[in-house]
Amino acid sequence: MRQITKEKKVLYMMMSTYVTIHLQLLTLYYWIFGHNFCFHKFGKEPPGPKSLPLAGNLLQLDLRRPWKTLLELSKKYGSLYTIYLGPKKVVVLAGYKTVKEALVNYAHEFGNRDQMLIMNEFNQGYEMRRFALTNLRDFGMGKRACEDKIIEECHHLIGVIKKFKGEAFDSALLLYCAISNIICSMVYGSRFDYDDPVFFGKKHKKTHQTYEFHKLSAASRKHTLGLLSHLKETLNPDKCRGVVDAFLTRRQSLEGSGITNSHFHNENLLHTIMNLFAAGTDTTATTVRWGLLFMARYPKIQDKVQEELRRVIGSRQAQVEDRKNLPFTNAVIHETQRVANISPVSLPHVAHKDVTFQGHFIKKGTTVYPLLASVLFDESEWEHPHSFYPAHFLDKEGNFVKRDAFLPFSAGRRACPGEGLARMELFIFITTLLQHFRFTPQAGDELDLTPRVGLILSPSPHKLYTVSCM
């Protein structure tokens, strides 16, 4: 009997091991094949490539240019498909019709932001969006006063460029400081010289690597705290200079009423300011850089822009109201935004609730990536999607025409809130610079248009010559 018991134990152990291995194999099979063909009572989930346990589809992505892989996958799996970024499931929206339908017609279902980890850490969970936007408008955003500030900054920039006396220069830092000064004037109530020490915290090399991102955040935090300390010491509640003063005045009022646990505390102020600069500086400055690069790369197009500016405006300062009389220039600016494609993937959204979209079931909480590059280069919407072709925005008579598939600012309830300011800055900066200078490449430089990948797509490092036009 004792011998039989031992044999049974061995048999039980063998059976247990077999069952465990079998279950593991079934689990592996499910990860590799099963969840790619998942059905739900409300419909089939979006299709997608087979993925691996833990790694998901990461090994299939070109991590230097992931949006290109996403574009290629859309050609195989359609305008709505699923991928796994590690264990995280993501639904990708591709093509104008699908992106527009999701963000506009299904705005409630897909309108919420999905907080990326790195941005969660950076923001520390604080949100002052409504306060910031309201006060930015109070201090000029979208108004004539803001246009005057942009024009003033253009002339400061022109003065700095003239100091190069025709020598080749890299426009990256200059444009960054110039565009940053527009935000400075509304947030702090003043602009700064480009060589002012306050800008030292911003004169750094930007990168998408997490370690560098946090290091740069620390540097930006330090110099911002210095500015805030000075503004607090010189605060006059009866004469607010900018958003910071409005914030500090509101906090004083609340504290005077005995309220000490409001959202108006130092961390919220700091992160609100840093978010405003992050959102309102890099994207616009980078787009202007692309605009000047395209003009140097395509001199015949630059000729036509400058001819139109001379004929319509002459030597006076260009203003936003001139846009309607400058169809070719306006078309070139729009085409710059389209081809530059600086944000190929919109900030991630999340499904607000269970939804059946285009016949596919998407579960509540699923991350959704609107692929803006697929809209800006949609072959069914653009005649020459992969070329710099300003005629995309002109009719046969040469009049400017809007294009539905022009969505560089995304669409729907989560479209860029600073779109109006950005469009004003792009128009005034580009037209004013082209009124004063002709931009040309260095001898022998064909000006590589391959973007440099980071948090946004920026031009590869380059230098341009200028020839004075006035």
Side-chain angles (χ1 to χ4, degrees):
M1 293 292 293
R2 188 175 298 172
Q3 182 65 31
I4 293 174
T5 302
K6 288 183 178 180
E7 290 177 351
K8 284 184 177 181
K9 286 183 178 180
V10 172
L11 180 61
Y12 289 151
M13 289 176 65
M14 291 176 63
M15 291 180 64
S16 177
T17 302
Y18 172 79
V19 171
T20 300
I21 294 175
H22 186 66
L23 288 174
Q24 289 175 341
L25 288 173
L26 284 175
T27 302
L28 181 63
Y29 181 87
Y30 169 77
W31 267 100
I32 296 176
F33 300 105
H35 68 268
N36 294 293
F37 303 97
C38 183
F39 284 84
H40 191 274
K41 65 179 180 179
F42 296 113
K44 184 179 178 181
E45 292 188 349
K50 297 175 183 178
S51 61
L52 297 174
L54 300 180
N57 299 107
L58 289 176
L59 298 179
Q60 298 170 249
L61 295 180
D62 178 353
L63 296 181
R64 294 187 61 196
R65 292 175 173 80
W67 78 93
K68 287 196 171 183
T69 307
L70 298 181
L71 283 171
E72 293 169 1
L73 290 173
S74 70
K75 295 177 181 178
K76 182 175 182 179
Y77 296 100
S79 60
L80 184 71
Y81 66 91
T82 301
I83 62 168
Y84 284 80
L85 302 181
K88 185 179 180 66
K89 181 167 70 173
V90 172
V91 170
V92 179
L93 308 173
Y96 165 66
K97 292 180 179 178
T98 296
V99 171
K100 179 76 176 293
E101 182 181 4
L103 299 186
V104 177
N105 299 346
Y106 284 73
H108 177 67
E109 290 82 354
F110 298 119
N112 288 0
R113 283 273 189 242
D114 183 34
Q115 297 297 324
M116 296 178 293
L117 175 62
I118 190 171
M119 297 309 293
N120 259 338
E121 294 173 353
F122 184 53
N123 290 323
Q124 296 292 312
Y126 298 118
E127 283 291 339
M128 296 292 288
R129 178 186 174 98
R130 183 177 300 176
F131 172 85
L133 290 178
T134 299
N135 280 277
L136 281 174
R137 295 187 187 102
D138 289 344
F139 291 102
M141 189 175 78
K143 301 179 181 179
R144 179 56 190 265
C146 186
E147 181 177 358
D148 292 340
K149 292 174 182 177
I150 298 171
I151 291 172
E152 176 190 357
E153 195 59 42
C154 278
H155 290 290
H156 286 291
L157 177 61
I158 289 168
V160 174
I161 293 176
K162 285 181 176 179
K163 292 180 181 179
F164 288 99
K165 297 180 179 179
E167 294 183 4
F169 68 98
D170 185 339
S171 64
L173 179 59
L174 295 181
L175 288 172
Y176 183 86
C177 290
I179 300 297
S180 182
N181 261 336
I182 307 303
I183 303 296
C184 284
S185 65
M186 290 184 283
V187 171
Y188 300 128
S190 62
R191 65 173 300 279
F192 302 93
D193 292 335
Y194 299 167
D195 58 356
D196 192 295
V198 77
F199 273 93
F200 287 171
K202 300 176 182 180
K203 293 180 180 180
H204 48 57
K205 183 178 180 181
K206 300 175 188 66
T207 176
H208 64 286
Q209 296 178 1
T210 303
Y211 171 74
E212 290 295 329
F213 182 89
H214 285 293
K215 192 164 68 172
L216 300 181
S217 297
S220 183
R221 179 187 177 96
K222 183 177 180 180
H223 91 265
T224 301
L225 284 172
L227 278 171
L228 295 183
S229 177
H230 173 72
L231 290 173
K232 186 176 180 180
E233 292 172 357
T234 57
L235 177 66
N236 180 355
D238 296 325
K239 190 176 181 181
C240 288
R241 295 159 290 189
V243 173
V244 172
D245 281 7
F247 189 104
L248 295 174
T249 299
R250 180 72 178 277
R251 185 170 68 185
Q252 278 190 359
S253 175
L254 291 171
E255 291 175 347
S257 302
I259 300 174
T260 58
N261 61 345
S262 74
H263 294 296
F264 290 83
H265 52 76
N266 287 339
E267 283 299 306
N268 261 356
L269 175 58
L270 179 64
H271 291 291
T272 297
I273 292 169
M274 294 175 73
N275 285 342
L276 288 173
F277 278 96
T281 300
D282 274 358
T283 51
T284 303
T286 299
T287 304
V288 176
R289 283 186 69 205
W290 276 113
L292 301 182
L293 179 61
F294 288 140
M295 293 301 92
R297 182 69 174 79
Y298 304 112
K300 291 183 179 179
I301 294 177
Q302 184 174 190
D303 288 341
K304 291 187 67 175
V305 171
Q306 292 182 320
E307 186 280 326
E308 183 178 67
L309 291 173
R310 286 191 296 270
R311 174 168 44 83
V312 176
I313 297 180
S315 59
R316 70 170 174 83
Q317 171 63 50
Q319 297 178 329
V320 171
E321 64 182 14
D322 293 314
R323 184 158 42 198
K324 62 182 180 293
N325 298 318
L326 297 167
F328 188 77
T329 301
N330 197 15
V332 166
I333 294 172
H334 279 67
E335 185 70 348
T336 293
Q337 290 181 266
R338 187 189 73 82
V339 177
N341 180 37
I342 64 171
S343 299
V345 183
S346 172
L347 290 175
H349 291 233
V350 66
H352 176 65
K353 61 180 183 178
D354 289 352
V355 58
T356 299
F357 178 67
Q358 294 188 349
H360 294 284
F361 175 76
I362 300 175
K363 186 177 177 60
K364 176 183 177 180
T366 301
T367 297
V368 178
Y369 278 9
L371 188 55
L372 296 184
S374 70
V375 179
L376 298 177
F377 297 108
D378 192 328
E379 295 180 357
S380 66
E381 295 290 333
W382 306 97
E383 294 79 4
H384 303 281
H386 303 291
S387 300
F388 189 83
Y389 187 68
H392 281 140
F393 296 92
L394 298 170
D395 63 17
K396 293 180 180 180
E397 287 72 40
N399 300 310
F400 179 82
V401 292
K402 295 181 179 180
R403 298 293 294 263
D404 292 337
F406 179 72
L407 299 179
F409 298 102
S410 192
R413 57 189 279 194
R414 286 294 181 174
C416 175
E419 177 179 349
L421 173 62
R423 293 180 71 244
M424 183 183 290
E425 290 173 327
L426 291 174
F427 180 78
I428 294 177
F429 269 97
I430 290 177
T431 54
T432 302
L433 288 171
L434 290 175
Q435 277 184 291
H436 286 80
F437 304 106
R438 180 172 182 78
F439 293 87
T440 61
Q442 291 180 288
D445 186 355
E446 296 184 359
L447 295 178
D448 182 12
L449 298 181
T450 303
R452 187 171 186 173
V453 181
L455 292 174
I456 59 177
L457 302 187
S458 58
S460 297
H462 64 277
K463 292 185 177 182
L464 298 176
Y465 285 107
T466 58
V467 177
S468 179
C469 297
M470 296 182 73

